[in-house]
Amino acid sequence: MPGSETLLDAARPLTDEGAERWQRAARGLDKLELRFERLYHSPWLRAVQTASALHGLVDGETHVTELLACAPSPKLLSTLKGQRVAVVGHEPWLSELTAWLVTGNPEHARGFTFKKGSVAVLEGTLKPGQMALSSLLPPKVLRQAAKG
Amino acid sequence: MTEGWPAARASASPKSKVQSERASSEVAADECVARLVRHGQAVSANGEPEDVHQLRVCAARLRVWLRLAGITTLHDDLGWLRTAAASVRDLDVQLEAAPPRALTQRLARQRSTALAELQRCLTLERYSALISALRALPPVSIARATNQLHALAARSLSLGQQRTWRAMAEGPTSAQSESVHALHRLRRSVRRVRYALNWLGLDARDITDLQEALGDVCNGVLHLSQAASPAATNKAFRLRQQQELLAKASSALLCWKHTKPILEKLVHAPVHHTPRTRRARQRDAARRGATTH
């Protein structure tokens, strides 16, 4: 059962400014022609709001999962289906997931820190240590891409 | 039995006039989420038809709430739940029509299998994640919700064009015919308008009547397709189903003619400017003002 602090954090929304900035970043992803078969996101409110802005880039289903509101696990990897998948979650777990998929060790997360609103693009087989980080896009770059 | 639906309302015990005014200008999903959880628990425990039906209804209402709130995720998760419940509900509807014994036995076996699958879905992590997400959603402003209602009503009008009814008049007897699919789409669209009106505390009686009339036709087609199956060898049963279907189709058309002006009125109602659109308009006005200097 999550503690009261976790429950409060789960219900914390994006700020108005944060939401507007992310909308612009999502337009940047659209301009970069990033498209997904499926989108998975955590049930926390700000992840729901963040994922909602990406809906136009998703050809198939969106899928909520608690496995993106905790440390990455084999169960998370077996849940993610498809060739082009978007994942919306939280720090530090997204850094841990990236580190795990790229290096095989989630403890290398310090080398993959995400700013709020950043997007990492990984390619390869969805197994620990078998993916490559093809780009890490900070939010400012995405907002700039939206203007182009 | 249909549960009564509370109108958009103020919170139970507002601490101040400001809070009370804010609460009455918002639409919250929490009561419906609580109902969804209750019916989910009941379905897990015993799988009674009414609980399956209400679980499905709650999921449908919440999908409409998400539209009113402008949230595009969680629809598929609610849809997944609804699909699992629909498999059971469709069989319950057919069983309610008291078909011949051989068909009843077959339908009952199918229902057991479908119910087991629904109950399994309710144990999955996706379901608990969905409930967590729904519980965290804040209320939506009446202004924003009303703007979305216009779009829903416009969609119903566009789906209820003459060609849908012309095809119906030719007598759809197959569950696979294009006219029946068109009618299903119209029924779903009208149901969304009804739920949106419920959420906003507006009169939904005429829209409800139309939804139910359309639902009767769709159910009638389903019964007829079962009546044509090898298990249903009773000719009198098939003839009775056909006659009932024609009567229901005429009734639905009359209902549509009565309700169409109401939908048109909803489409042309004034648009509410939400704080976000107001800010955007002010920004645009400022930009125009700056370029003219």
Side-chain angles (χ1 to χ4, degrees):
Chain A
M1 183 77 178
S4 55
E5 271 190 28
T6 307
L7 287 172
L8 284 171
D9 203 23
R12 182 162 58 85
L14 293 176
T15 59
D16 284 349
E17 187 189 0
E20 214 166 314
R21 286 180 148 207
W22 176 245
Q23 289 282 355
R24 283 190 275 144
R27 285 200 289 276
L29 288 171
D30 187 19
K31 283 279 170 77
L32 293 170
E33 295 183 0
L34 279 165
R35 293 291 182 272
F36 308 101
E37 277 177 49
R38 275 196 176 87
L39 184 152
Y40 294 84
H41 64 91
S42 125
W44 292 12
L45 177 57
R46 55 193 186 282
V48 170
Q49 292 173 316
T50 301
S52 203
L54 295 177
H55 190 253
L57 308 182
V58 181
D59 301 324
E61 265 200 348
T62 66
H63 180 130
V64 65
T65 173
E66 284 170 333
L67 300 170
L68 283 167
C70 57
S73 63
K75 196 172 175 193
L76 170 63
L77 298 190
S78 65
T79 299
L80 304 177
K81 302 275 187 290
Q83 295 295 313
R84 288 172 293 117
V85 166
V87 161
V88 177
H90 312 277
E91 282 295 77
W93 302 315
L94 281 186
S95 293
E96 289 172 13
L97 176 63
T98 305
W100 190 31
L101 289 172
V102 173
T103 72
N105 186 348
E107 287 175 22
H108 293 160
R110 209 173 296 168
F112 297 94
T113 312
F114 284 64
K115 275 185 148 182
K116 284 181 191 172
S118 288
V119 172
V121 181
L122 306 184
E123 290 174 356
T125 306
L126 189 65
K127 284 182 180 169
Q130 294 194 31
M131 298 202 86
L133 178 67
S134 71
S135 44
L136 181 57
L137 305 165
K140 200 171 179 182
V141 166
L142 291 171
R143 292 196 297 271
Q144 200 60 35
K147 291 181 190 172
Chain B
M1 181 183 74
T2 310
E3 290 185 41
W5 192 250
R9 79 284 184 259
S11 55
S13 50
K15 293 195 171 91
S16 69
K17 186 169 179 270
V18 169
Q19 281 181 314
S20 171
E21 283 171 354
R22 185 179 303 143
S24 65
S25 65
E26 292 176 332
V27 183
D30 47 356
E31 277 185 29
C32 190
V33 177
R35 285 184 201 219
L36 181 75
V37 171
R38 264 200 320 272
H39 289 299
Q41 287 165 345
V43 168
S44 294
N46 54 43
E48 290 293 316
E50 184 59 22
D51 288 311
V52 172
H53 173 56
Q54 291 303 331
L55 176 77
R56 204 160 154 252
V57 168
C58 285
R61 288 188 183 276
L62 285 166
R63 276 181 120 185
V64 170
W65 187 90
L66 290 173
R67 281 178 189 256
L68 299 181
I71 295 171
T72 53
T73 49
L74 304 178
H75 285 263
D76 293 332
D77 305 285
L78 284 165
W80 161 79
L81 185 62
R82 263 182 66 78
T83 300
S87 302
V88 185
R89 173 66 181 164
D90 285 348
L91 293 161
D92 285 336
V93 167
Q94 291 175 67
L95 285 164
E96 274 164 25
R101 189 178 166 185
L103 182 56
T104 299
Q105 287 172 344
R106 185 165 72 93
L107 291 173
R109 280 194 302 272
Q110 288 174 351
R111 190 193 191 268
S112 281
T113 306
L115 179 62
E117 175 55 22
L118 172 58
Q119 288 169 331
R120 189 188 72 87
C121 287
L122 294 173
T123 65
L124 294 179
E125 175 274 322
R126 188 177 188 181
Y127 175 69
S128 56
L130 172 60
I131 299 301
S132 296
L134 291 170
R135 280 177 171 154
L137 295 173
V140 58
S141 73
I142 295 268
R144 178 188 253 281
T146 306
N147 289 343
Q148 296 298 318
L149 170 62
H150 300 159
L152 290 172
R155 177 78 178 138
S156 287
L157 279 173
S158 111
L159 287 172
Q161 289 173 25
Q162 278 193 347
R163 59 173 182 265
T164 301
W165 296 103
R166 216 176 291 131
M168 271 303 301
E170 284 156 18
T173 52
S174 160
Q176 305 307 319
S177 73
E178 178 50 38
S179 61
V180 173
H181 287 310
L183 211 59
H184 272 296
R185 283 193 293 269
L186 177 59
R187 179 179 61 88
R188 285 194 295 263
S189 176
V190 167
R191 185 184 61 217
R192 286 182 207 117
V193 174
R194 172 195 169 184
Y195 290 166
L197 289 167
N198 289 152
W199 280 115
L200 288 163
L202 300 172
D203 185 1
R205 280 171 296 185
D206 292 305
I207 302 290
T208 302
D209 288 344
L210 175 60
Q211 183 209 334
E212 286 174 357
L214 292 168
D216 282 345
V217 179
C218 294
N219 287 344
V221 173
L222 190 61
H223 294 156
L224 203 58
S225 67
Q226 281 298 327
S229 74
T233 55
N234 189 320
K235 194 177 173 183
F237 178 74
R238 286 202 302 278
L239 280 172
R240 191 179 84 225
Q241 294 290 331
Q242 279 171 344
Q243 283 165 353
E244 282 177 7
L245 178 57
L246 286 170
K248 284 170 185 175
S250 301
S251 181
L253 179 56
L254 280 173
C255 210
W256 170 255
K257 286 178 178 172
H258 170 73
T259 313
K260 193 175 164 207
I262 297 170
L263 287 168
E264 284 163 348
K265 202 171 163 188
L266 284 174
V267 172
H268 297 297
V271 172
H272 292 260
H273 291 294
T274 60
R276 188 178 285 255
T277 58
R278 212 177 291 127
R279 276 201 301 274
R281 282 166 50 237
Q282 284 166 355
R283 256 202 318 272
D284 289 343
R287 221 175 279 137
R288 281 197 298 275
T291 56
T292 58
H293 289 299

